[in-house]
Amino acid sequence: MQVLRRRRRRLLALTGLAALLLAASGGLPAVADAQHTDPLQRQVDAIHDTGVVGVSAEVTAPGTRTGAVARAGVAEKGSRRPMPPGGRFRIGSATKTFTAAVVLQLVGEGRMSLEDTVERWLPGVVAGSGLDGSRITVRQLLQHTSGIPEVLPEIAALNSADGYRAERFRTYTPQELAGLAMQRSEEVTSDAAWSYSNTNYILAAMIIREVTGRSWDREVEDRIIRPLGLSGTSTPGTSPFVPGPHAHAYTTFGAGTGTDAGVDVTRLNTSMAIGSGAVISTTHDLSRFYAALLDGRLLEPAELAEMTSTVSAPGMGVRYGLGLGEIPLSCGGSYFGHPGELLGYRTWAGITRDGSRTAVVYATSEGGPETQQAMRTLVDQELCGAGRGEGAG
């Protein structure tokens, strides 16, 4: 039982912001030397060298009309197919930025408030030992200060190879997920502490439906994907497939790391991650999304200010706003973004505070702590300008 609990805790960290942001509090590893002279390619190669199957990255900088792109590894183990240009992947917890943007649009339209309680929109849904939906606000959901427990340890497909094979096509309803999380309410220790929980964003997706009368998928499509022309981005609903060109995803479910081990987990019904991790996108589309967010195309100034107002995330070495992390830069200052992971797809996306630079990288298969640090290094160096030979100014 103790082994199972440790494995579940490990899964919880890997599927959310926690494990990836822990790397932000550590030092930056040196980028490995490579035959390639392009600095972005060297960084991508360094990530690949940590044991992942494939890596792809795209960065934009001032004065460039198209992003710089680099890839390493293969699209599928046992093949020689390179990582696909414009490949699609599950962005995991970076989905939370999309959900928070929709909520803030509704706030700006006067249809709801960040100070609304969960009970107002979802009566009776949040209740249990130490939990009271009438004392938890929408702001606290988006900020991860609600104290609501994490549901992912209850999802069999995310916890073991056997569970994945048995339940990878299972459909969960948001109400079912909320109920599973409430069953874990005895683990709540404080409703005032910052505590990352995917359940917060499942509840936010449920609130979006109550406010609009339409599904979370439909609102994300109509408010973000279509207006920005994000042709490689989608909300898959209950479909287990990654549409269009994509690389396969692999995970070892805690049994070890490396490209010689792992289960192909490319097919997955991500209904368990509605609002919190279900979006499929590309490096190019994520770059465009974060640029549009920071330059005010998606939110009015008041709502963008709410999103980028951050609180301390103890133990993570970062700060957290509403669906956005604020992460220190090695050259001074900070950037906004959100890492994410969902069964074998891992991503890190960042944008400078002025919106002038973006860096997005994803890897297939879980790697290890070195992978997390190398991905963070790529984003940091590119946003500092050092990756383009521009110095750290």
Side-chain angles (χ1 to χ4, degrees), residues 18-37:
L20 293 174
L21 286 191
L22 280 171
S25 61
L28 294 177
V31 177
D33 290 331
Q35 294 180 348
H36 300 283
T37 57

Side-chain angles (χ1 to χ4, degrees), residues 94-355:
T95 296
K96 292 176 175 64
T97 314
F98 286 75
T99 300
V102 171
V103 170
L104 286 164
Q105 285 184 358
L106 294 172
V107 169
E109 293 164 10
R111 301 173 69 176
M112 63 179 294
S113 167
L114 289 173
E115 309 314 320
D116 288 346
T117 66
V118 176
E119 184 70 13
R120 173 180 176 179
W121 294 107
L122 304 174
V125 170
V126 174
S129 176
L131 292 174
D132 181 353
S134 67
R135 301 177 60 187
I136 297 172
T137 66
V138 172
R139 182 190 301 277
Q140 289 175 309
L141 292 182
L142 301 183
Q143 202 175 59
H144 293 299
T145 54
S146 70
I148 292 173
E150 176 62 76
V151 70
L152 294 192
E154 304 301 316
I155 309 300
L158 302 180
N159 283 279
S160 70
D162 288 342
Y164 169 77
R165 295 186 183 101
E167 299 204 358
R168 58 183 169 166
F169 300 129
R170 175 176 173 177
T171 294
Y172 290 88
T173 67
Q175 293 78 9
E176 182 182 7
L177 294 167
L180 289 171
M182 294 312 112
Q183 292 175 15
R184 306 184 70 238
S185 61
E186 71 277 1
E187 299 183 16
V188 174
T189 57
S190 170
D191 60 3
W194 190 90
S195 178
Y196 191 83
S197 173
N198 286 279
T199 312
N200 288 321
Y201 278 76
I202 293 168
L203 293 170
M206 294 172 68
I207 290 173
I208 288 170
R209 186 179 189 97
E210 291 300 314
V211 173
T212 66
R214 306 196 316 163
S215 70
W216 169 81
D217 303 73
R218 184 71 177 273
E219 292 297 325
V220 171
E221 173 72 30
D222 288 352
R223 291 173 174 272
I224 298 175
I225 296 174
R226 187 176 297 121
L228 295 182
L230 305 181
S231 59
T233 303
S234 61
T235 55
T238 60
S239 171
F241 303 105
V242 178
H246 63 276
H248 286 233
Y250 303 90
T251 185
T252 63
F253 292 100
T257 59
T259 56
D260 294 330
V263 177
D264 188 324
V265 290
T266 310
R267 294 185 179 183
L268 180 69
N269 178 337
T270 56
S271 57
M272 88 289 286
I274 183 172
S276 65
V279 167
I280 291 170
S281 192
T282 68
T283 55
H284 184 65
D285 278 6
L286 275 183
S287 178
R288 293 175 62 198
F289 165 66
Y290 280 105
L293 188 66
L294 268 290
D295 71 15
R297 278 178 281 163
L298 290 176
L299 298 176
E300 295 296 329
E303 282 68 53
L304 183 58
E306 293 280 14
M307 176 177 261
T308 56
S309 295
T310 60
V311 298
S312 176
M316 300 299 176
V318 301
R319 297 180 64 83
Y320 198 85
L322 305 183
L324 271 182
E326 183 183 5
I327 304 162
L329 280 167
S330 62
C331 54
S334 61
Y335 68 93
F336 289 108
H338 212 300
E341 182 177 352
L342 184 61
L343 268 200
Y345 287 113
R346 169 177 288 173
T347 186
W348 195 300
I351 183 168
T352 52
R353 297 180 70 94
D354 64 3

